[in-house]
Amino acid sequence: MTTTVVLSGNPRSGSRTRRLAEAVAEELGAHDAVVVDLSEFGAKLLTPGDEATAAAVETVRAAERLIVATPTYKGAYTGILKVLFDLFPAGGLEGVTAVPVVTAGSRQQAEAAAGHLRALLSELGATQPGPGLLVTEPELADIRAAAKALQLAE
């Protein structure tokens, strides 16, 4: 069985971004995905030696499949997601299949943020089986339907 981790990069708890990422995991057959929700960490992500942060990094690195979800902030992924990935060594996601999930107000914003996120994941060594999932505000009204739009290369 593939170990799937959902990484929610939204700084707000209970976000639609997290719910969308969990729905994507279910669409991929991962009904028991482990969730790392960065909204629960806050400033601890910046505290050297924080045990919860170290455990989150290890959980993400140990994933076989990683669903990385982020809203679009200023044309890119969130700062809190960047802070977490800054803790990874070069090649820290080698052997991990990453599925980017980006939410935004418009398709253009989502495409810009997804491009930045895919570049970051590539730099860390993750394999990406497709472009991921880009979802706009109006599409978030039906999270299940939005999750079904995910297309991965066979």
Side-chain angles (χ1 to χ4, degrees):
M1 181 189 304
T2 300
T3 303
T4 299
V5 173
V6 168
L7 176 59
S8 176
N10 195 315
R12 288 182 287 153
S13 65
S15 70
R16 293 177 297 173
T17 303
R18 175 184 169 160
R19 292 196 320 267
L20 175 62
E22 290 173 319
V24 166
E26 289 181 17
E27 282 298 312
L28 294 173
H31 303 287
D32 58 350
V34 175
V35 176
V36 174
D37 187 338
L38 295 181
S39 71
E40 298 170 2
F41 289 81
K44 290 189 291 187
L45 284 172
L46 299 168
T47 304
D50 179 70
E51 291 180 18
T53 300
V57 168
E58 288 310 309
T59 296
V60 170
R61 290 188 68 196
E64 293 174 70
R65 179 172 47 211
L66 176 65
I67 299 166
V68 182
T70 182
T72 302
Y73 276 28
K74 307 296 183 199
Y77 47 82
T78 60
I80 198 167
L81 192 59
K82 174 75 164 86
V83 168
L84 180 78
F85 281 131
D86 281 348
L87 300 174
F88 284 59
L93 289 178
E94 284 184 30
V96 176
T97 299
V99 178
V101 174
V102 177
T103 62
S106 71
R107 182 56 111 192
Q108 183 179 10
Q109 290 173 335
E111 288 171 354
H116 294 297
L117 181 56
R118 284 193 300 270
L120 172 65
L121 294 169
S122 291
E123 183 174 325
L124 289 171
T127 301
Q128 296 172 68
L133 180 63
L134 310 181
V135 178
T136 61
E137 262 313 301
E139 295 167 322
L140 283 170
D142 188 345
I143 286 176
R144 291 270 170 224
K148 289 181 185 303
L150 175 69
Q151 295 181 5
L152 300 178
E154 296 293 320

